[in-house]
Amino acid sequence: MSFEKQIVSCPEAGESCIYATHSSGLKVYISEKKNFAANYAVFGTRYGSVDTEFALGGENMHKTPEGIAHFLEHKLFEGEDGDAFEKYAVTGALANAYTSFDRTCYLFSCADRFYENLDILLSFVTSPYFTPETVNKEQGIIGQEIRMYEDAPGWRVLFNLFRIMYSNHPVKVEIAGTVSSIAKITDKTLYDCYNTFYDPSNMFICLCGNFESEKALEMIDDKIKTSDKVQIRRSDFDEPDSVVSSYTEQEMMVAMPLFVIGIKDVPVSSEMLAEKKAATELLLEMCVGRISPLYTELLEKGLINTNFGTEYFYGNSYAALIFEGESKDPEAVRSAISDEIKRIAESGADPELFYDALKKIYGREIRKFNYAEETVDGFINCAVDGTEPYSDLKVLKTLTADDVTARARELNPKNFALSVIKPPKK
C-alpha cells in the first residue's frame, strides 16, 4: 500500500490511533473500537467559506464567489451515476455533510455494512459531476436556504457580531453566501475549486468504529490517485487588531433578547495552537463556566439562563472568545464578564478554581473517546489545525494557574463587541 503509518498513543486516556499519510498527501486517522456498535466516517477537505481567494503555486490570486464552498458541498452528492443519498438509503446509513469557515466534511454513521458505506463515500467525493443545468437548479435551492437563515435569530445575532468585529476578513460573510453571489457560480468555477481544494494533499479521512483498519486502508489506497501535490496559496487578510464597533442590535421575533459577546483575539500559529486553546478553555471555564462564582451570580440575578455557553472561535487569520445566551440585560452580562477577566489578569487565577476547571475539562476530553463521532471530530480538528492527535489532552497536563493569568492579560478590553437581537417594540 502507498501509506506511511504510525501509531500515536495517549496513555493518559488509554487511547491510540493509526495516523497514516498516503503517497498523494492524504491524511488518514483511524481509531478501531471493537466494542462499539456504531461506526463513524468523515472524508473532508481544508476548504471553507473564507477561502474565496487563492492561487496555485506562483499564479495570481483568483477570486471566487462567496458561498462557493457550501455550494460545492451540495452539488457533490449528485453524481453522474445517481445521488449518493439514495445509495446510502439502500445500506441504511445516516449520511450528511457540512461546510464551516475552514473545512468541508462528508460523513456517514452506520451499525453494519461499513465497507459498502465507505465505498460510497470514497466514490462520490472523488467523482465530481457538474452541469450548467444542475448548477442552475441548485441556485434556487440554496437561495431558499439563505433566505431561511435570514429569518433565524440565532444565526443573525452571530453574524451581526462578526460584522462589527471584522473589517476585512471573510469570516464576517455568511457561509452560504448571498443570493447574488451564488448566482455567479458556474459549473466551471465549481470544477476549478474542486480541482484545487479537493486534491488529496489538502484532504483527510477520519474513521472510528468496529472494522478492520487494514481493509479500510486498502479501500482508500484503491480509490485515491497519486499525483503531484497542489501548492495552494491562500489569501493574507489585512485585518486590524481592533473591532469595527462595540455594539449592534436588531429587532426580531424573540421572547427574550439573544446576545453574543465577542472578544477579538490575535490569531495563533499551528505550533502554539494546542497551548493557546487549552489556556483559553480554562480561562473561559474559570471566568464564567458552570463551576465559576460569576456563573452562579449571573444565574441567580436572572441575567443568564442555562442556555448560556462559551467557545474559543479560531481559524485562518481569525480568533475570538465567544459568550452567548439569552438575557434581559445583555449589557450587564458583558460588563460582568469584562470585569472578571480584568480581575483575573490583575489578581491572578485562583489555584483552587484552576484545578477544578482543569479536572472538569480533562474529564470532558476523556469522555469524548466513548463516542465515535466525538473521537472523529477530534481527528478532524487535528487535520485542519495541523496538530498531533491527542495534543489537546497532553497539553492540558502541562498548564498552571499562571498560564491562565497570562492568557487573561493577553486580551484587550477595547476589543469587546456585543450583538443583540431584541423583541420588537410594542
Side-chain angles (χ1 to χ4, degrees), residues 187-387:
D187 56 324
K188 181 182 182 304
T189 55
L190 288 177
Y191 276 117
D192 287 344
C193 291
Y194 179 90
N195 292 330
T196 300
F197 292 102
Y198 283 70
D199 185 89
S201 61
N202 191 57
M203 301 185 77
F204 50 88
I205 293 175
C206 307
L207 310 174
C208 180
N210 184 6
F211 54 86
E212 297 296 331
S213 59
E214 286 302 312
K215 183 172 181 178
L217 287 171
E218 288 175 5
M219 292 178 64
I220 294 168
D221 189 37
D222 185 58
K223 288 287 186 181
I224 302 301
K225 298 176 182 177
T226 299
S227 59
D228 293 335
K229 301 179 181 66
V230 299
Q231 299 296 322
I232 304 173
R233 185 157 51 90
R234 302 172 198 249
S235 179
D236 294 323
F237 305 108
D238 184 20
E239 178 63 39
D241 294 337
S242 59
V243 298
V244 178
S245 175
S246 61
Y247 183 78
T248 184
E249 66 177 46
Q250 181 181 353
E251 290 186 2
M252 295 185 75
M253 293 300 295
V254 293
M256 180 182 290
L258 306 181
F259 72 87
V260 182
I261 300 164
I263 310 175
K264 192 175 184 180
D265 196 17
V266 178
V268 63
S269 65
S270 59
E271 292 77 15
M272 295 299 297
L273 182 57
E275 289 83 355
K276 187 73 71 175
K277 280 174 61 181
T280 305
E281 288 172 3
L282 284 164
L283 174 61
L284 290 170
E285 188 61 45
M286 294 178 67
C287 175
V288 71
R290 298 199 175 195
I291 66 168
S292 70
L294 179 57
Y295 178 85
T296 302
E297 178 186 335
L298 294 174
L299 203 61
E300 290 176 347
K301 290 181 177 179
L303 290 173
I304 62 172
N305 55 32
T306 54
N307 291 329
F308 179 81
T310 63
E311 177 190 356
Y312 182 44
F313 173 71
Y314 66 91
N316 179 19
S317 302
Y318 63 87
L321 283 69
I322 301 292
F323 311 79
E324 58 185 331
E326 302 170 332
S327 179
K328 61 186 179 183
D329 191 350
E331 288 275 14
V333 178
R334 173 169 69 170
S335 179
I337 292 173
S338 177
D339 289 346
E340 181 64 6
I341 292 176
K342 181 180 179 182
R343 186 195 66 77
I344 294 173
E346 293 177 349
S347 303
D350 177 76
E352 185 175 344
L353 187 60
F354 167 79
Y355 284 111
D356 287 342
L358 182 62
K359 286 186 290 185
K360 179 178 179 180
I361 294 174
Y362 198 85
R364 183 180 68 202
E365 292 299 313
I366 292 290
R367 286 192 296 273
K368 288 180 180 179
F369 299 121
N370 294 326
Y371 305 95
E373 182 174 349
E374 294 198 28
T375 300
V376 164
D377 284 345
F379 292 153
I380 294 171
N381 288 334
C382 291
V384 176
D385 298 342
T387 56

